[in-house]
Amino acid sequence: MPTFHTRAVNRAIDHINNRLDSPPTLRELAGLAHMSPYHFHRTFTAEFGETPMKYIARRRIETAGHRLLQDPDRPVSDIAFTLGFSSMPVFCRTFKHHFGLTAEEFRRKNGKPESNGGQCPDNADQRPAAHFAYLCPRRTIQIKGGINMDFTFEVCDRPEMKVVYVRHKGSFRTIGGAFERLMRWSAPRGLLGPAVQTLAVYHDDPEITADENLLVSDACLVVPQEIKTDGEVGFYTVTGGQYAVGRFEVGMEEFRPAWTTLCRLIGENGLRTAEGRHCYELYLNDPQQHPEHKFIVDICLPVVPL
């Protein structure tokens, strides 16, 4: 797809994500993309594999599903109305059509399982000392397969970050290609210094979005100020504010358990995920330099008190 079309569709996606409570019309999105409604509809569908209106409908109802699980005591009606549904019957029909369950059934079936509360297993300190050099103080949990995963947890104020990005559609496992293209664009512009920061911003929850081909994420590079972009590269500001931050030492297969652990800790600390702010992973090391080729990553989720 021509880069003009990619940038136009990306602007539309950002606008939709900021307006889930009052969804934009096709004509409004087309105007934002500087296209006719007919041309925009065809362009968006070719890029994302679903029409703009289907994308909006799916994002709204899957966001509702995510909020049902992240805030289990929040009334279903409150979630429905904050996402702009006109009535509970409309929301209930839409939810059951998408998930095959009522909202309450979905919440009961998919609620977070109990865990060991982050207690250290008896053999945690039998591993080489070098393994722990990255995280101190640490907690350790044992995840599926008997794997020990080290992490720290805190709630803190995170600053806003200006970023350039390349949007990725599909499995989060394959976002590496978007990072490679972003680095090729950034290098000749002098953006890759020794203190460069990279992060991935996630717009979907893989536990909720059944088709991983529909997942949307952004490969990002922090920049000191707004800069002019071109091609498929865009610019925006990652939100700041109060965040729950889990610093994890993980292999590629351990990212999902890390996210699950952080979500559980948020609830245990009297918090819930906040709406309208970015969720992201901030990468802190080169895994090729780690003794076990693991990532040191801050998983950052916006939070507010329950």
Side-chain angles (χ1 to χ4, degrees), residues 222-273:
V222 178
V223 293
Q225 59 192 15
E226 183 172 356
I227 62 175
K228 184 178 180 180
T229 58
D230 54 47
E232 67 173 330
V233 180
F235 170 89
Y236 63 73
T237 299
V238 175
T239 53
Q242 189 177 60
Y243 273 77
V245 180
R247 178 165 294 183
F248 292 88
E249 184 177 11
V250 291
M252 185 62 72
E253 301 302 317
E254 299 161 12
F255 274 87
R256 181 168 289 189
W259 278 80
T260 301
T261 298
L262 181 58
C263 289
R264 175 179 56 78
L265 289 169
I266 287 172
E268 290 177 357
N269 284 273
L271 303 166
R272 65 174 175 85
T273 52

Side-chain angles (χ1 to χ4, degrees), residues 57-298:
R58 179 177 62 80
R59 283 285 291 125
R60 292 175 77 204
I61 206 65
E62 289 182 351
T63 298
H66 175 80
R67 293 178 184 176
L68 282 166
L69 300 185
Q70 295 303 313
D71 193 357
D73 296 322
R74 188 176 181 184
V76 175
S77 58
D78 183 50
I79 292 172
F81 292 133
T82 57
L83 284 168
F85 285 91
S86 58
S87 69
M88 282 304 294
V90 170
F91 173 80
C92 292
R93 285 196 303 271
T94 305
F95 194 95
K96 188 164 186 178
H97 177 76
H98 186 82
F99 289 107
L101 299 167
T102 68
E104 293 295 350
E105 289 169 342
F106 179 86
R107 184 176 256 169
R108 287 195 298 270
K109 179 179 178 181
N110 296 286
K112 302 299 182 186
E114 293 297 321
S115 71
N116 67 358
Q119 298 300 313
C120 295
D122 292 339
N123 64 347
D125 289 320
Q126 295 177 12
R127 290 171 291 159
H131 184 85
F132 297 115
Y134 291 86
L135 297 177
C136 185
R138 72 179 189 277
R139 295 171 69 184
T140 302
I141 59 171
Q142 193 168 83
I143 60 176
K144 186 176 180 180
I147 298 171
N148 291 322
M149 184 170 64
D150 299 330
F151 69 97
T152 61
F153 171 78
E154 66 173 333
V155 178
C156 61
D157 286 330
R158 294 286 305 167
E160 291 184 342
M161 293 180 289
K162 295 178 173 60
V163 300
V164 290
Y165 74 95
V166 169
R167 182 146 291 160
H168 170 69
K169 182 171 176 289
S171 170
F172 294 155
R173 293 171 179 269
T174 58
I175 196 174
F179 273 110
E180 290 175 4
R181 300 196 303 277
L182 179 62
M183 296 306 162
R184 286 198 298 269
W185 183 90
S186 300
R189 292 166 175 80
L191 300 177
L192 301 182
V196 65
Q197 287 186 298
T198 58
L199 60 148
V201 173
Y202 296 101
H203 300 286
D204 293 298
D205 182 347
E207 301 288 346
I208 301 295
T209 302
D211 185 351
E212 68 175 13
N213 293 319
L214 299 178
L215 297 171
V216 177
S217 53
D218 297 332
C220 302
L221 177 76
V222 178
V223 293
Q225 59 192 15
E226 183 172 356
I227 62 175
K228 184 178 180 180
T229 58
D230 54 47
E232 67 173 330
V233 180
F235 170 89
Y236 63 73
T237 299
V238 175
T239 53
Q242 189 177 60
Y243 273 77
V245 180
R247 178 165 294 183
F248 292 88
E249 184 177 11
V250 291
M252 185 62 72
E253 301 302 317
E254 299 161 12
F255 274 87
R256 181 168 289 189
W259 278 80
T260 301
T261 298
L262 181 58
C263 289
R264 175 179 56 78
L265 289 169
I266 287 172
E268 290 177 357
N269 284 273
L271 303 166
R272 65 174 175 85
T273 52
E275 300 159 11
R277 289 192 276 145
H278 293 113
C279 303
Y280 59 92
E281 294 170 351
L282 181 65
Y283 305 111
L284 304 175
N285 76 317
D286 177 357
Q288 297 305 313
Q289 302 300 318
H290 186 282
E292 297 183 15
H293 301 293
K294 290 192 173 186
F295 292 83
I296 308 299
V297 57
D298 281 352

